[in-house]
């Protein structure tokens, strides 16, 4: 069967199925196999899996001859041609082994923790999800909002993303984004700092932090939230996988907010998916002279996006209630972001660089908290890193 022998399924899975409380190892193996064989969003794969089920569809494509009786014959033949080189039992077993080694969970449609919101994508919905972190967070009723935007963000855009991220935490709303530099990273870090839940969707394997400079942040996200990919462990991110990843960001979110975006920004692709799914869409306005906000202005002008000027506007998009004053933790966590940041900034000098240890001693904060505050202040342009330490910014 072209290198794929389903008789070795259980040895490839080991105790995987038992770990996830799913006795059907063959079906789980088939889901993992499809994520190796088909690219994200492959509608032909989605259609035959829906028609036949994961196992029977896998058995059909691994046998000689062409698929028949399910849609257009030419389309099926072309699909089988692109799948055939990837039918490799060794690659499937390696992906499962890497996932087990890295504590990455495999979720498949039908699992109790499967996020049903992604099923709105129809035949383009994911065939499996590889989740680093606590998959139970995907099976809750907690509302989520996507905050996305430019990688080459301005200080203004990052400041807005931080304010929105911290404000959503106070309302018990999770934040979804793509783990990239710029707006994505600012939103993720704000949520982490405020003690909320954030989800990062990757274009490569969940075991391959991308960008590499965000490896620490993604590890922090996995510790309290989830890092998600629909491609198997070991897969490299590519341009088309970023575009396909964007549809999952939109599908997992009750609304999408674009904070900054150039005229041709990839964030507009996420906005397009949100609109196609009927999800509310918001955009943050910027200076009319800023190229970094041209895409947001385009969304406001041409795509009926809602103008977002603060977290209350975002909450209105999904019909969320205002922050509950009785929720002491949400209020305290959100407030501490500003309070600690002020203490750290007050401890900085505009002339004499100071180390994290010196700042911690001066403020009475833990060094880890000081480092987090400095990162946020740097994003806002209010702190500056030098070779000898930290200085106060503008």
């Amino acid at each position: 069967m072209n290198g794929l022998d389903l008789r070795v399924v259980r040895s490839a899975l080991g105790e995987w199925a038992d770990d996830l409380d799913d006795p059907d190892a063959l079906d789980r193996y088939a889901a993992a196999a499809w994520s190796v064989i088909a690219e994200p969003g492959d509608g032909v794969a989605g259609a035959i899996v829906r028609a036949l089920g994961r196992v029977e569809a896998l058995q059909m494509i691994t046998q000689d001859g062409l698929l028949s009786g399910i849609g257009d014959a030419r389309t099926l033949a072309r699909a089988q041609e692109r799948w055939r080189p990837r039918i490799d039992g060794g690659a499937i077993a390696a992906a499962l082994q890497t996932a087990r080694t890295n504590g990455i969970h495999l979720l498949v449609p039908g699992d109790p923790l499967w996020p049903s919101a992604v099923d709105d994508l129809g035949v383009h919905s994911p065939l499996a999800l590889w989740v680093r972190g606590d998959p139970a967070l995907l099976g809750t009723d907690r509302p989520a909002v996507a905050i996305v935007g430019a990688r080459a963000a301005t200080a203004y855009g990052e400041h807005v993303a931080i304010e929105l991220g911290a404000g959503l935490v106070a309302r018990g709303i999770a934040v979804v984004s793509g783990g990239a530099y710029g707006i994505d990273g600012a939103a993720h870090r704000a949520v982490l700092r405020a003690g909320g839940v954030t989800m990062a969707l990757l274009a490569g394997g969940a075991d391959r932090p991308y960008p590499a400079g965000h490896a620490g942040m993604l590890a922090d996200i996995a510790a309290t939230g989830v890092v998600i990919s629909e491609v198997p462990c070991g897969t490299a991110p590519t341009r088309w996988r970023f575009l396909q990843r964007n549809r999952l960001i939109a599908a997992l979110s009750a609304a999408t907010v674009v904070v900054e975006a150039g005229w041709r920004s990839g964030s507009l692709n996420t906005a397009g998916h949100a609109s196609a799914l009927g999800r509310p869409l918001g955009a943050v306005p910027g200076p009319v002279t800023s190229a970094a906000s041209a895409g947001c202005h385009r969304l406001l002008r041409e795509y009926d996006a809602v103008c977002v000027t603060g977290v209350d506007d975002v909450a209105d998009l999904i019909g969320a209630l205002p922050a509950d004053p009785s929720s002491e933790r949400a209020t305290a966590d959100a407030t501490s972001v500003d309070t600690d940041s002020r203490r750290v900034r007050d401890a900085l000098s505009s002339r004499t660089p100071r180390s994290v240890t010196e700042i911690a001693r001066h403020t009475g904060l833990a060094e880890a908290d000081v480092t987090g505050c400095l990162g946020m202040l740097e994003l806002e342009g209010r702190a500056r890193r030098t070779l000898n330490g930290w200085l106060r910014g503008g």
Side-chain angles (χ1 to χ4, degrees), residues 64-357:
D64 293 332
L66 297 176
L67 292 167
S68 61
I70 311 169
D72 178 69
R74 181 176 298 179
T75 299
L76 292 171
R78 284 200 300 265
Q80 198 162 6
E81 285 178 9
R82 65 174 179 263
W83 296 332
R84 189 172 287 116
R86 293 186 172 188
I87 299 175
D88 182 348
I92 299 164
L96 289 165
Q97 180 57 50
T98 302
R100 287 197 297 271
T101 301
N102 289 277
I104 294 169
H105 305 270
L106 174 65
L107 292 185
V108 303
D111 279 345
L113 300 180
W114 179 260
S116 59
V118 300
D119 295 335
D120 290 348
L121 293 165
V123 295
H124 303 289
S125 61
L127 300 170
L129 290 174
W130 304 81
V131 181
R132 180 182 171 198
D134 184 1
L137 293 171
L138 292 174
T140 68
D141 294 329
R142 179 194 299 268
V145 168
I147 297 179
V148 297
R151 289 174 174 81
T154 68
Y156 161 78
E158 290 177 339
H159 173 79
V160 172
I162 290 169
E163 292 293 317
L164 293 178
L168 289 171
V169 170
R171 287 161 171 77
I173 299 171
V175 171
V176 181
S177 199
Y181 292 128
I183 298 302
D184 291 14
H188 284 309
R189 287 193 176 94
V191 176
L192 289 171
R193 185 70 183 86
V197 172
T198 187
M199 306 177 188
L201 278 293
L202 302 186
D207 63 318
R208 295 184 58 158
Y210 186 89
H214 275 178
M217 182 191 77
L218 291 169
D220 290 341
I221 292 173
T224 57
V226 285
V227 175
I228 308 166
S229 176
E230 66 177 308
V231 295
C233 294
T235 303
T238 61
R239 178 175 175 80
W240 65 86
R241 288 176 185 143
F242 279 108
L243 295 175
Q244 290 298 323
R245 178 277 312 267
N246 290 344
R247 83 194 196 287
L248 295 187
I249 293 177
L252 280 170
S253 307
T256 294
V257 177
V258 182
V259 176
E260 265 189 335
W263 188 259
R264 297 182 181 276
S265 171
S267 301
L268 302 185
N269 176 260
T270 307
H273 284 297
S275 180
L277 288 167
R279 307 283 202 269
L281 176 63
V284 175
V288 295
T289 55
S290 173
S293 291
C296 291
H297 298 156
R298 182 181 179 188
L299 291 174
L300 292 168
R301 184 176 61 252
E302 300 177 15
Y303 295 91
D304 295 325
V306 173
C307 181
V308 170
T309 61
V311 71
D312 288 340
D313 295 333
V314 180
D316 286 344
L317 281 176
I318 61 172
L321 296 174
D324 183 358
S326 66
S327 176
E328 296 182 2
R329 176 173 177 193
T331 303
D333 285 346
T335 302
S336 70
V337 176
D338 291 334
T339 302
D340 291 351
S341 292
R342 281 197 297 271
R343 287 166 65 181
V344 170
R345 189 169 190 276
D346 288 345
L348 296 175
S349 167
S350 58
R351 295 185 179 181
T352 305
R354 290 179 178 161
S355 68
V356 170
T357 300

